[in-house]
Amino acid sequence: MSWQTYVDEHLMCDIEGQRLKAAAIIGLDGAAWARSEAFPQYKPEEISAIVKDFDEPGSLAPTGLHLAGEKYMVIQGEPGAVIRGKKGSGGVTVKKTNLGLIFGIYDEPMTPGQCNMVVERLGDYLFDQGF
């Protein structure tokens, strides 16, 4: 299965009638493996800061998580495994696997829990597969 298929069929799927606004799978080096059409054009240093927070949990808390210049307030996650951010009526969930990052961006009426479920379920599967 291609990385794009994971984004199209597993991240951008309907969950109780709701869908993510955007999604992507990005390597730990910042290279995009696959992305939805609406996923923002991020900066390499933003991905580096996210990867650093997985290695040093809490490093993003003072500055926030930035993606394409948009600032998300970092909220509870799972240190070393999941980062969650909130911005207005939406937010972002980032799940780390062995080789990459799974991103899901949502807006209301999708709930944070629905976004977390979609992103973390795929991330857990890929992690278990060695990716």
Side-chain angles (χ1 to χ4, degrees), residues 18-120:
Q18 304 304 321
R19 241 173 216 246
L20 290 172
K21 179 176 154 184
I25 302 174
I26 298 173
L28 296 178
D29 62 357
W33 295 356
R35 60 197 295 162
S36 66
E37 201 171 302
F39 195 80
Q41 194 61 44
Y42 59 88
K43 298 177 182 100
E45 59 270 19
E46 294 170 332
I47 302 303
S48 296
I50 293 167
V51 169
K52 179 182 177 189
D53 192 79
F54 282 113
D55 295 334
E56 300 171 25
S59 66
L60 282 179
T63 60
L65 181 154
H66 291 81
L67 196 58
E70 295 286 321
K71 180 180 178 179
Y72 294 84
M73 179 178 64
V74 177
I75 55 176
Q76 54 80 17
E78 297 169 30
V82 179
I83 299 169
R84 297 184 183 107
K86 184 87 172 118
K87 180 180 187 300
S89 62
V92 63
T93 300
V94 186
K95 170 74 176 175
K96 183 178 184 282
T97 67
N98 295 304
L99 304 174
L101 304 171
I102 314 298
F103 283 82
I105 299 173
Y106 70 94
D107 252 328
E108 287 184 344
M110 184 175 234
T111 67
Q114 289 169 321
C115 178
N116 296 342
M117 182 179 68
V118 171
V119 172
E120 293 176 38

